[in-house]
Amino acid sequence: MTLFRLDASIRTHGSASREIADIVEAEWLAAHPGDPIERRHIGVDALPATAWAAAVAAGTTAPEEHTAEQRAALALAATLVDELLAADAILFAVPLYNYGVSQHFKTYVDLVSTDQRAFGKPFLAGKRVVLVTVRGGAYGGGTPREGWDHATPYLRRIIADCWGADLTVVEREFTLVGVNPALDSFADQAAKMHAEARQAAREAGRALGAVPIPA
C-alpha cells in the first residue's frame, strides 16, 4: 500500500502540525512496514502562485495555442491529481494561519480543481484521508475567538464534501502556549489538549493503516 503525505507548514523545525502528522504516519507504517510513502511539502517547496491562473486560462484556450506556462500548469495539476489517485491512504498536515487556510494549501486545492478528473467530481470517493490541523490559540465554543477558525470548515467541505474522501480530522489547539507569554496561564489546558491530540493521532493512524473490508 502507498501513503501520500502533504505538509503545508512554512516551518522546517518545530512544526506542530508535522509533529502530530508524524504520529499518524508512524502508526500507518507499523501496519505497513516497508511500504512506500510519497511526500509533497508545499509549505517549503511552494507551488507557483501563477499556476492556477495559467491552468484556468488553458481550459478556455485551444490546446495548439497553449503557452509554455499553460502547458506546465496543466502538467503540474495532473501530477497533483495523479499523486492523490495513486495513494491508498492520504495524510494532510495543514496549520491554521491568520484565522484562515494556508495560502499554500489553497493554491493546491485550486490547482487540483483544474484537472478534469477532479473538477466538480468526488474523485477521492471512499478513500481514507486524515487531516491534521493545528491552531495557535483556542477557538472552541464559549471562547473569545469562537468562530474565528475559518480554515477547518473549509477543509472539511473540500476534502470530504467536494472530493468525497472518508475524512478523519485530528486537531490540536493552543500550540502557542509556551511561545506567547500572554498564554502562559493556559499551560495545563494546553498540555491536556496536546496529549489528547497525540492520542487522537495514534487512533487515526491505526484506522488509516487498516486494510479496507471489501464491499
Side-chain angles (χ1 to χ4, degrees), residues 2-52:
T2 300
L3 173 68
F4 174 71
R5 173 172 171 175
L6 180 143
D7 286 271
S9 172
I10 61 174
R11 303 181 68 182
T12 55
H13 300 287
S15 166
S17 60
R18 189 176 300 118
E19 181 222 353
I20 301 299
D22 284 347
I23 296 171
V24 177
E25 178 184 312
E27 293 293 342
W28 185 89
L29 270 177
H32 303 282
D35 282 4
I37 299 177
E38 301 296 332
R39 304 178 189 277
R40 183 175 286 273
H41 197 323
I42 58 175
V44 174
D45 298 317
L47 299 172
T50 58
W52 175 58

mmCIF file of all heavy atoms in Angstrom, residues 2-52:
data_model
loop_
_atom_site.group_PDB
_atom_site.id
_atom_site.type_symbol
_atom_site.label_atom_id
_atom_site.label_comp_id
_atom_site.label_asym_id
_atom_site.label_seq_id
_atom_site.Cartn_x
_atom_site.Cartn_y
_atom_site.Cartn_z
ATOM 1 N N THR A 2 0.302 2.339 -0.425
ATOM 2 C CA THR A 2 1.045 3.599 -0.508
ATOM 3 C C THR A 2 0.322 4.683 0.274
ATOM 4 O O THR A 2 -0.896 4.826 0.178
ATOM 5 C CB THR A 2 1.177 4.049 -1.979
ATOM 6 O OG1 THR A 2 1.882 3.056 -2.724
ATOM 7 C CG2 THR A 2 1.929 5.371 -2.073
ATOM 8 N N LEU A 3 1.105 5.431 1.044
ATOM 9 C CA LEU A 3 0.595 6.604 1.752
ATOM 10 C C LEU A 3 1.112 7.851 1.061
ATOM 11 O O LEU A 3 2.306 7.956 0.774
ATOM 12 C CB LEU A 3 1.057 6.594 3.206
ATOM 13 C CG LEU A 3 0.733 7.852 4.037
ATOM 14 C CD1 LEU A 3 -0.767 7.970 4.260
ATOM 15 C CD2 LEU A 3 1.477 7.830 5.373
ATOM 16 N N PHE A 4 0.214 8.786 0.781
ATOM 17 C CA PHE A 4 0.629 10.094 0.289
ATOM 18 C C PHE A 4 0.493 11.087 1.428
ATOM 19 O O PHE A 4 -0.572 11.201 2.045
ATOM 20 C CB PHE A 4 -0.226 10.552 -0.893
ATOM 21 C CG PHE A 4 0.070 11.963 -1.330
ATOM 22 C CD1 PHE A 4 1.259 12.246 -1.974
ATOM 23 C CD2 PHE A 4 -0.816 12.999 -1.081
ATOM 24 C CE1 PHE A 4 1.562 13.546 -2.369
ATOM 25 C CE2 PHE A 4 -0.531 14.302 -1.466
ATOM 26 C CZ PHE A 4 0.665 14.573 -2.112
ATOM 27 N N ARG A 5 1.573 11.802 1.706
ATOM 28 C CA ARG A 5 1.559 12.795 2.788
ATOM 29 C C ARG A 5 1.909 14.163 2.233
ATOM 30 O O ARG A 5 2.909 14.338 1.533
ATOM 31 C CB ARG A 5 2.549 12.416 3.882
ATOM 32 C CG ARG A 5 2.686 13.521 4.940
ATOM 33 C CD ARG A 5 3.503 13.085 6.116
ATOM 34 N NE ARG A 5 3.788 14.223 7.000
ATOM 35 C CZ ARG A 5 4.406 14.136 8.173
ATOM 36 N NH1 ARG A 5 4.787 12.950 8.625
ATOM 37 N NH2 ARG A 5 4.639 15.220 8.891
ATOM 38 N N LEU A 6 1.078 15.144 2.585
ATOM 39 C CA LEU A 6 1.307 16.527 2.189
ATOM 40 C C LEU A 6 1.383 17.397 3.433
ATOM 41 O O LEU A 6 0.507 17.337 4.297
ATOM 42 C CB LEU A 6 0.188 17.008 1.274
ATOM 43 C CG LEU A 6 0.295 18.450 0.768
ATOM 44 C CD1 LEU A 6 -0.206 18.541 -0.664
ATOM 45 C CD2 LEU A 6 -0.504 19.409 1.656
ATOM 46 N N ASP A 7 2.447 18.195 3.543
ATOM 47 C CA ASP A 7 2.614 19.151 4.633
ATOM 48 C C ASP A 7 2.509 20.567 4.084
ATOM 49 O O ASP A 7 3.022 20.868 3.002
ATOM 50 C CB ASP A 7 3.983 18.971 5.299
ATOM 51 C CG ASP A 7 4.042 17.733 6.169
ATOM 52 O OD1 ASP A 7 3.717 17.828 7.359
ATOM 53 O OD2 ASP A 7 4.408 16.651 5.653
ATOM 54 N N ALA A 8 1.858 21.447 4.864
ATOM 55 C CA ALA A 8 1.688 22.836 4.428
ATOM 56 C C ALA A 8 2.313 23.840 5.390
ATOM 57 O O ALA A 8 2.198 25.044 5.164
ATOM 58 C CB ALA A 8 0.204 23.153 4.246
ATOM 59 N N SER A 9 2.982 23.381 6.444
ATOM 60 C CA SER A 9 3.624 24.300 7.379
ATOM 61 C C SER A 9 4.796 25.008 6.705
ATOM 62 O O SER A 9 5.531 24.402 5.922
ATOM 63 C CB SER A 9 4.133 23.545 8.607
ATOM 64 O OG SER A 9 4.916 24.392 9.428
ATOM 65 N N ILE A 10 4.977 26.273 7.027
ATOM 66 C CA ILE A 10 6.117 27.007 6.482
ATOM 67 C C ILE A 10 7.372 26.778 7.321
ATOM 68 O O ILE A 10 8.453 27.246 6.957
ATOM 69 C CB ILE A 10 5.826 28.520 6.392
ATOM 70 C CG1 ILE A 10 5.531 29.108 7.780
ATOM 71 C CG2 ILE A 10 4.678 28.784 5.425
ATOM 72 C CD1 ILE A 10 5.380 30.627 7.798
ATOM 73 N N ARG A 11 7.233 26.052 8.428
ATOM 74 C CA ARG A 11 8.365 25.832 9.321
ATOM 75 C C ARG A 11 9.111 24.567 8.930
ATOM 76 O O ARG A 11 8.508 23.554 8.554
ATOM 77 C CB ARG A 11 7.901 25.716 10.777
ATOM 78 C CG ARG A 11 7.119 26.919 11.260
ATOM 79 C CD ARG A 11 6.703 26.771 12.702
ATOM 80 N NE ARG A 11 7.849 26.820 13.609
ATOM 81 C CZ ARG A 11 7.747 26.678 14.929
ATOM 82 N NH1 ARG A 11 6.566 26.472 15.483
ATOM 83 N NH2 ARG A 11 8.824 26.739 15.693
ATOM 84 N N THR A 12 10.422 24.619 9.012
ATOM 85 C CA THR A 12 11.240 23.432 8.765
ATOM 86 C C THR A 12 11.629 22.745 10.061
ATOM 87 O O THR A 12 12.047 21.584 10.058
ATOM 88 C CB THR A 12 12.517 23.803 7.986
ATOM 89 O OG1 THR A 12 13.225 24.824 8.706
ATOM 90 C CG2 THR A 12 12.171 24.321 6.603
ATOM 91 N N HIS A 13 11.518 23.452 11.191
ATOM 92 C CA HIS A 13 11.816 22.875 12.508
ATOM 93 C C HIS A 13 10.728 23.319 13.485
ATOM 94 O O HIS A 13 10.242 24.450 13.421
ATOM 95 C CB HIS A 13 13.184 23.312 13.021
ATOM 96 C CG HIS A 13 14.328 22.922 12.129
ATOM 97 N ND1 HIS A 13 14.782 21.630 12.009
ATOM 98 C CD2 HIS A 13 15.074 23.661 11.272
ATOM 99 C CE1 HIS A 13 15.776 21.595 11.139
ATOM 100 N NE2 HIS A 13 15.972 22.814 10.664
ATOM 101 N N GLY A 14 10.360 22.429 14.382
ATOM 102 C CA GLY A 14 9.409 22.783 15.419
ATOM 103 C C GLY A 14 7.984 22.935 14.952
ATOM 104 O O GLY A 14 7.175 23.589 15.616
ATOM 105 N N SER A 15 7.628 22.311 13.841
ATOM 106 C CA SER A 15 6.264 22.423 13.320
ATOM 107 C C SER A 15 5.312 21.584 14.156
ATOM 108 O O SER A 15 5.496 20.367 14.302
ATOM 109 C CB SER A 15 6.215 21.960 11.866
ATOM 110 O OG SER A 15 4.886 21.765 11.435
ATOM 111 N N ALA A 16 4.267 22.212 14.684
ATOM 112 C CA ALA A 16 3.281 21.489 15.479
ATOM 113 C C ALA A 16 2.450 20.546 14.617
ATOM 114 O O ALA A 16 2.113 19.435 15.044
ATOM 115 C CB ALA A 16 2.378 22.478 16.207
ATOM 116 N N SER A 17 2.115 20.963 13.409
ATOM 117 C CA SER A 17 1.331 20.084 12.534
ATOM 118 C C SER A 17 2.152 18.871 12.115
ATOM 119 O O SER A 17 1.630 17.757 12.022
ATOM 120 C CB SER A 17 0.830 20.843 11.305
ATOM 121 O OG SER A 17 1.899 21.354 10.535
ATOM 122 N N ARG A 18 3.439 19.079 11.882
ATOM 123 C CA ARG A 18 4.285 17.958 11.482
ATOM 124 C C ARG A 18 4.440 16.954 12.618
ATOM 125 O O ARG A 18 4.451 15.736 12.388
ATOM 126 C CB ARG A 18 5.653 18.465 11.021
ATOM 127 C CG ARG A 18 6.508 17.353 10.381
ATOM 128 C CD ARG A 18 7.815 17.875 9.842
ATOM 129 N NE ARG A 18 7.578 18.887 8.831
ATOM 130 C CZ ARG A 18 7.970 20.157 8.940
ATOM 131 N NH1 ARG A 18 8.613 20.568 10.008
ATOM 132 N NH2 ARG A 18 7.711 21.005 7.993
ATOM 133 N N GLU A 19 4.537 17.455 13.846
ATOM 134 C CA GLU A 19 4.680 16.541 14.985
ATOM 135 C C GLU A 19 3.485 15.596 15.083
ATOM 136 O O GLU A 19 3.652 14.380 15.256
ATOM 137 C CB GLU A 19 4.794 17.339 16.285
ATOM 138 C CG GLU A 19 4.966 16.449 17.514
ATOM 139 C CD GLU A 19 4.152 16.902 18.714
ATOM 140 O OE1 GLU A 19 3.545 17.977 18.670
ATOM 141 O OE2 GLU A 19 4.112 16.141 19.706
ATOM 142 N N ILE A 20 2.271 16.132 14.968
ATOM 143 C CA ILE A 20 1.085 15.292 15.070
ATOM 144 C C ILE A 20 0.971 14.378 13.851
ATOM 145 O O ILE A 20 0.622 13.189 13.977
ATOM 146 C CB ILE A 20 -0.180 16.158 15.224
ATOM 147 C CG1 ILE A 20 -0.077 17.040 16.473
ATOM 148 C CG2 ILE A 20 -1.421 15.280 15.290
ATOM 149 C CD1 ILE A 20 0.063 16.279 17.779
ATOM 150 N N ALA A 21 1.278 14.894 12.669
ATOM 151 C CA ALA A 21 1.224 14.067 11.460
ATOM 152 C C ALA A 21 2.252 12.941 11.513
ATOM 153 O O ALA A 21 1.999 11.843 10.996
ATOM 154 C CB ALA A 21 1.447 14.934 10.225
ATOM 155 N N ASP A 22 3.393 13.190 12.132
ATOM 156 C CA ASP A 22 4.404 12.139 12.274
ATOM 157 C C ASP A 22 3.862 10.947 13.051
ATOM 158 O O ASP A 22 4.217 9.789 12.784
ATOM 159 C CB ASP A 22 5.649 12.676 12.981
ATOM 160 C CG ASP A 22 6.529 13.538 12.073
ATOM 161 O OD1 ASP A 22 6.318 13.523 10.840
ATOM 162 O OD2 ASP A 22 7.419 14.227 12.608
ATOM 163 N N ILE A 23 3.010 11.223 14.034
ATOM 164 C CA ILE A 23 2.420 10.137 14.823
ATOM 165 C C ILE A 23 1.470 9.317 13.953
ATOM 166 O O ILE A 23 1.475 8.074 13.992
ATOM 167 C CB ILE A 23 1.683 10.712 16.044
ATOM 168 C CG1 ILE A 23 2.678 11.403 16.981
ATOM 169 C CG2 ILE A 23 0.920 9.615 16.789
ATOM 170 C CD1 ILE A 23 2.028 12.186 18.102
ATOM 171 N N VAL A 24 0.651 10.006 13.159
ATOM 172 C CA VAL A 24 -0.242 9.301 12.237
ATOM 173 C C VAL A 24 0.568 8.424 11.288
ATOM 174 O O VAL A 24 0.260 7.240 11.076
ATOM 175 C CB VAL A 24 -1.101 10.298 11.434
ATOM 176 C CG1 VAL A 24 -1.978 9.569 10.420
ATOM 177 C CG2 VAL A 24 -1.962 11.147 12.369
ATOM 178 N N GLU A 25 1.621 9.005 10.730
ATOM 179 C CA GLU A 25 2.466 8.263 9.786
ATOM 180 C C GLU A 25 3.100 7.043 10.437
ATOM 181 O O GLU A 25 3.145 5.953 9.841
ATOM 182 C CB GLU A 25 3.549 9.183 9.240
ATOM 183 C CG GLU A 25 4.503 8.498 8.280
ATOM 184 C CD GLU A 25 5.633 9.406 7.811
ATOM 185 O OE1 GLU A 25 5.342 10.549 7.415
ATOM 186 O OE2 GLU A 25 6.796 8.963 7.838
ATOM 187 N N ALA A 26 3.588 7.194 11.652
ATOM 188 C CA ALA A 26 4.238 6.079 12.347
ATOM 189 C C ALA A 26 3.272 4.918 12.567
ATOM 190 O O ALA A 26 3.645 3.746 12.430
ATOM 191 C CB ALA A 26 4.804 6.560 13.681
ATOM 192 N N GLU A 27 2.030 5.241 12.896
ATOM 193 C CA GLU A 27 1.036 4.187 13.088
ATOM 194 C C GLU A 27 0.706 3.503 11.767
ATOM 195 O O GLU A 27 0.522 2.282 11.711
ATOM 196 C CB GLU A 27 -0.232 4.766 13.723
ATOM 197 C CG GLU A 27 -0.054 5.248 15.144
ATOM 198 C CD GLU A 27 0.218 4.122 16.130
ATOM 199 O OE1 GLU A 27 -0.057 2.945 15.802
ATOM 200 O OE2 GLU A 27 0.708 4.415 17.238
ATOM 201 N N TRP A 28 0.625 4.286 10.689
ATOM 202 C CA TRP A 28 0.388 3.686 9.375
ATOM 203 C C TRP A 28 1.544 2.762 9.002
ATOM 204 O O TRP A 28 1.331 1.645 8.517
ATOM 205 C CB TRP A 28 0.220 4.783 8.322
ATOM 206 C CG TRP A 28 -0.144 4.250 6.965
ATOM 207 C CD1 TRP A 28 -1.395 4.013 6.476
ATOM 208 C CD2 TRP A 28 0.766 3.855 5.927
ATOM 209 N NE1 TRP A 28 -1.334 3.502 5.203
ATOM 210 C CE2 TRP A 28 -0.027 3.395 4.843
ATOM 211 C CE3 TRP A 28 2.154 3.839 5.813
ATOM 212 C CZ2 TRP A 28 0.549 2.931 3.659
ATOM 213 C CZ3 TRP A 28 2.727 3.380 4.634
ATOM 214 C CH2 TRP A 28 1.924 2.934 3.566
ATOM 215 N N LEU A 29 2.771 3.214 9.255
ATOM 216 C CA LEU A 29 3.942 2.392 8.936
ATOM 217 C C LEU A 29 4.002 1.118 9.765
ATOM 218 O O LEU A 29 4.480 0.086 9.297
ATOM 219 C CB LEU A 29 5.223 3.200 9.156
ATOM 220 C CG LEU A 29 5.751 3.999 7.970
ATOM 221 C CD1 LEU A 29 6.982 4.795 8.379
ATOM 222 C CD2 LEU A 29 6.071 3.082 6.791
ATOM 223 N N ALA A 30 3.516 1.189 10.997
ATOM 224 C CA ALA A 30 3.508 0.000 11.838
ATOM 225 C C ALA A 30 2.633 -1.093 11.225
ATOM 226 O O ALA A 30 2.909 -2.289 11.380
ATOM 227 C CB ALA A 30 3.013 0.355 13.243
ATOM 228 N N ALA A 31 1.598 -0.674 10.515
ATOM 229 C CA ALA A 31 0.711 -1.633 9.850
ATOM 230 C C ALA A 31 1.232 -2.044 8.476
ATOM 231 O O ALA A 31 0.866 -3.104 7.963
ATOM 232 C CB ALA A 31 -0.692 -1.047 9.717
ATOM 233 N N HIS A 32 2.087 -1.196 7.904
ATOM 234 C CA HIS A 32 2.606 -1.456 6.552
ATOM 235 C C HIS A 32 4.119 -1.216 6.501
ATOM 236 O O HIS A 32 4.590 -0.333 5.769
ATOM 237 C CB HIS A 32 1.889 -0.556 5.538
ATOM 238 C CG HIS A 32 0.407 -0.705 5.540
ATOM 239 N ND1 HIS A 32 -0.243 -1.752 4.941
ATOM 240 C CD2 HIS A 32 -0.566 0.057 6.116
ATOM 241 C CE1 HIS A 32 -1.548 -1.633 5.125
ATOM 242 N NE2 HIS A 32 -1.770 -0.553 5.840
ATOM 243 N N PRO A 33 4.882 -1.959 7.275
ATOM 244 C CA PRO A 33 6.332 -1.727 7.308
ATOM 245 C C PRO A 33 6.973 -1.921 5.939
ATOM 246 O O PRO A 33 6.704 -2.906 5.252
ATOM 247 C CB PRO A 33 6.822 -2.780 8.314
ATOM 248 C CG PRO A 33 5.747 -3.823 8.350
ATOM 249 C CD PRO A 33 4.464 -3.099 8.121
ATOM 250 N N GLY A 34 7.767 -0.941 5.563
ATOM 251 C CA GLY A 34 8.460 -1.020 4.284
ATOM 252 C C GLY A 34 7.672 -0.536 3.098
ATOM 253 O O GLY A 34 8.215 -0.405 1.995
ATOM 254 N N ASP A 35 6.377 -0.240 3.293
ATOM 255 C CA ASP A 35 5.580 0.245 2.177
ATOM 256 C C ASP A 35 5.931 1.709 1.877
ATOM 257 O O ASP A 35 6.365 2.450 2.763
ATOM 258 C CB ASP A 35 4.091 0.117 2.486
ATOM 259 C CG ASP A 35 3.587 -1.315 2.327
ATOM 260 O OD1 ASP A 35 4.423 -2.197 2.053
ATOM 261 O OD2 ASP A 35 2.377 -1.544 2.485
ATOM 262 N N PRO A 36 5.731 2.139 0.648
ATOM 263 C CA PRO A 36 6.184 3.484 0.251
ATOM 264 C C PRO A 36 5.319 4.612 0.795
ATOM 265 O O PRO A 36 4.098 4.469 0.949
ATOM 266 C CB PRO A 36 6.115 3.447 -1.276
ATOM 267 C CG PRO A 36 5.070 2.417 -1.575
ATOM 268 C CD PRO A 36 5.192 1.374 -0.494
ATOM 269 N N ILE A 37 5.986 5.728 1.070
ATOM 270 C CA ILE A 37 5.316 6.970 1.428
ATOM 271 C C ILE A 37 5.756 8.029 0.428
ATOM 272 O O ILE A 37 6.943 8.336 0.314
ATOM 273 C CB ILE A 37 5.659 7.422 2.858
ATOM 274 C CG1 ILE A 37 5.220 6.367 3.874
ATOM 275 C CG2 ILE A 37 5.003 8.770 3.171
ATOM 276 C CD1 ILE A 37 5.589 6.711 5.306
ATOM 277 N N GLU A 38 4.811 8.559 -0.302
ATOM 278 C CA GLU A 38 5.092 9.643 -1.234
ATOM 279 C C GLU A 38 4.823 10.959 -0.515
ATOM 280 O O GLU A 38 3.832 11.085 0.209
ATOM 281 C CB GLU A 38 4.212 9.537 -2.477
ATOM 282 C CG GLU A 38 4.366 8.226 -3.246
ATOM 283 C CD GLU A 38 5.759 8.055 -3.830
ATOM 284 O OE1 GLU A 38 6.396 9.104 -4.114
ATOM 285 O OE2 GLU A 38 6.207 6.911 -3.999
ATOM 286 N N ARG A 39 5.696 11.941 -0.714
ATOM 287 C CA ARG A 39 5.603 13.184 0.052
ATOM 288 C C ARG A 39 5.600 14.410 -0.862
ATOM 289 O O ARG A 39 6.228 14.422 -1.914
ATOM 290 C CB ARG A 39 6.780 13.295 1.019
ATOM 291 C CG ARG A 39 6.922 12.116 1.965
ATOM 292 C CD ARG A 39 8.140 12.288 2.868
ATOM 293 N NE ARG A 39 8.410 11.074 3.629
ATOM 294 C CZ ARG A 39 7.802 10.751 4.767
ATOM 295 N NH1 ARG A 39 6.904 11.574 5.275
ATOM 296 N NH2 ARG A 39 8.087 9.627 5.395
ATOM 297 N N ARG A 40 4.893 15.424 -0.376
ATOM 298 C CA ARG A 40 4.958 16.736 -1.010
ATOM 299 C C ARG A 40 4.864 17.761 0.114
ATOM 300 O O ARG A 40 3.974 17.680 0.960
ATOM 301 C CB ARG A 40 3.835 16.936 -2.020
ATOM 302 C CG ARG A 40 3.918 18.280 -2.750
ATOM 303 C CD ARG A 40 2.867 18.392 -3.832
ATOM 304 N NE ARG A 40 3.184 17.574 -4.986
ATOM 305 C CZ ARG A 40 3.941 17.957 -6.010
ATOM 306 N NH1 ARG A 40 4.493 19.173 -6.005
ATOM 307 N NH2 ARG A 40 4.161 17.155 -7.026
ATOM 308 N N HIS A 41 5.787 18.719 0.139
ATOM 309 C CA HIS A 41 5.812 19.730 1.202
ATOM 310 C C HIS A 41 5.602 21.100 0.558
ATOM 311 O O HIS A 41 6.558 21.779 0.189
ATOM 312 C CB HIS A 41 7.135 19.684 1.965
ATOM 313 C CG HIS A 41 7.078 20.382 3.285
ATOM 314 N ND1 HIS A 41 6.367 21.542 3.494
ATOM 315 C CD2 HIS A 41 7.635 20.073 4.490
ATOM 316 C CE1 HIS A 41 6.498 21.925 4.744
ATOM 317 N NE2 HIS A 41 7.253 21.043 5.375
ATOM 318 N N ILE A 42 4.349 21.495 0.453
ATOM 319 C CA ILE A 42 4.043 22.733 -0.256
ATOM 320 C C ILE A 42 4.308 23.977 0.572
ATOM 321 O O ILE A 42 4.336 25.081 0.033
ATOM 322 C CB ILE A 42 2.582 22.740 -0.746
ATOM 323 C CG1 ILE A 42 1.601 22.564 0.414
ATOM 324 C CG2 ILE A 42 2.380 21.662 -1.803
ATOM 325 C CD1 ILE A 42 0.145 22.679 0.005
ATOM 326 N N GLY A 43 4.527 23.808 1.890
ATOM 327 C CA GLY A 43 4.880 24.960 2.713
ATOM 328 C C GLY A 43 6.311 25.394 2.500
ATOM 329 O O GLY A 43 6.657 26.570 2.688
ATOM 330 N N VAL A 44 7.165 24.452 2.107
ATOM 331 C CA VAL A 44 8.584 24.739 1.865
ATOM 332 C C VAL A 44 8.867 24.802 0.366
ATOM 333 O O VAL A 44 9.518 25.725 -0.123
ATOM 334 C CB VAL A 44 9.470 23.677 2.542
ATOM 335 C CG1 VAL A 44 10.932 23.885 2.172
ATOM 336 C CG2 VAL A 44 9.290 23.727 4.062
ATOM 337 N N ASP A 45 8.391 23.803 -0.368
ATOM 338 C CA ASP A 45 8.530 23.804 -1.831
ATOM 339 C C ASP A 45 7.185 24.249 -2.405
ATOM 340 O O ASP A 45 6.370 23.435 -2.846
ATOM 341 C CB ASP A 45 8.900 22.405 -2.327
ATOM 342 C CG ASP A 45 10.245 21.956 -1.773
ATOM 343 O OD1 ASP A 45 11.172 22.773 -1.766
ATOM 344 O OD2 ASP A 45 10.349 20.796 -1.334
ATOM 345 N N ALA A 46 6.975 25.551 -2.389
ATOM 346 C CA ALA A 46 5.665 26.108 -2.729
ATOM 347 C C ALA A 46 5.334 25.916 -4.206
ATOM 348 O O ALA A 46 6.207 25.968 -5.073
ATOM 349 C CB ALA A 46 5.632 27.590 -2.375
ATOM 350 N N LEU A 47 4.051 25.701 -4.458
ATOM 351 C CA LEU A 47 3.582 25.651 -5.837
ATOM 352 C C LEU A 47 3.628 27.058 -6.430
ATOM 353 O O LEU A 47 3.444 28.043 -5.714
ATOM 354 C CB LEU A 47 2.142 25.128 -5.871
ATOM 355 C CG LEU A 47 1.932 23.711 -5.325
ATOM 356 C CD1 LEU A 47 0.443 23.416 -5.231
ATOM 357 C CD2 LEU A 47 2.634 22.688 -6.201
ATOM 358 N N PRO A 48 3.852 27.183 -7.728
ATOM 359 C CA PRO A 48 3.908 28.519 -8.345
ATOM 360 C C PRO A 48 2.596 29.271 -8.147
ATOM 361 O O PRO A 48 1.514 28.734 -8.402
ATOM 362 C CB PRO A 48 4.160 28.214 -9.824
ATOM 363 C CG PRO A 48 4.732 26.833 -9.857
ATOM 364 C CD PRO A 48 4.113 26.104 -8.706
ATOM 365 N N ALA A 49 2.692 30.496 -7.705
ATOM 366 C CA ALA A 49 1.487 31.289 -7.418
ATOM 367 C C ALA A 49 0.665 31.561 -8.671
ATOM 368 O O ALA A 49 -0.546 31.802 -8.588
ATOM 369 C CB ALA A 49 1.888 32.603 -6.759
ATOM 370 N N THR A 50 1.309 31.536 -9.828
ATOM 371 C CA THR A 50 0.605 31.850 -11.073
ATOM 372 C C THR A 50 0.070 30.614 -11.788
ATOM 373 O O THR A 50 -0.587 30.732 -12.828
ATOM 374 C CB THR A 50 1.548 32.589 -12.027
ATOM 375 O OG1 THR A 50 2.706 31.760 -12.285
ATOM 376 C CG2 THR A 50 2.008 33.916 -11.427
ATOM 377 N N ALA A 51 0.325 29.431 -11.238
ATOM 378 C CA ALA A 51 -0.035 28.198 -11.950
ATOM 379 C C ALA A 51 -1.539 28.039 -12.101
ATOM 380 O O ALA A 51 -2.022 27.583 -13.143
ATOM 381 C CB ALA A 51 0.560 26.986 -11.235
ATOM 382 N N TRP A 52 -2.292 28.408 -11.058
ATOM 383 C CA TRP A 52 -3.737 28.237 -11.141
ATOM 384 C C TRP A 52 -4.319 29.083 -12.276
ATOM 385 O O TRP A 52 -5.108 28.585 -13.090
ATOM 386 C CB TRP A 52 -4.390 28.601 -9.810
ATOM 387 C CG TRP A 52 -5.883 28.568 -9.847
ATOM 388 C CD1 TRP A 52 -6.670 27.494 -10.182
ATOM 389 C CD2 TRP A 52 -6.777 29.649 -9.583
ATOM 390 N NE1 TRP A 52 -8.008 27.844 -10.130
ATOM 391 C CE2 TRP A 52 -8.101 29.160 -9.760
ATOM 392 C CE3 TRP A 52 -6.586 30.980 -9.198
ATOM 393 C CZ2 TRP A 52 -9.216 29.974 -9.577
ATOM 394 C CZ3 TRP A 52 -7.703 31.775 -9.005
ATOM 395 C CH2 TRP A 52 -9.003 31.276 -9.190
#
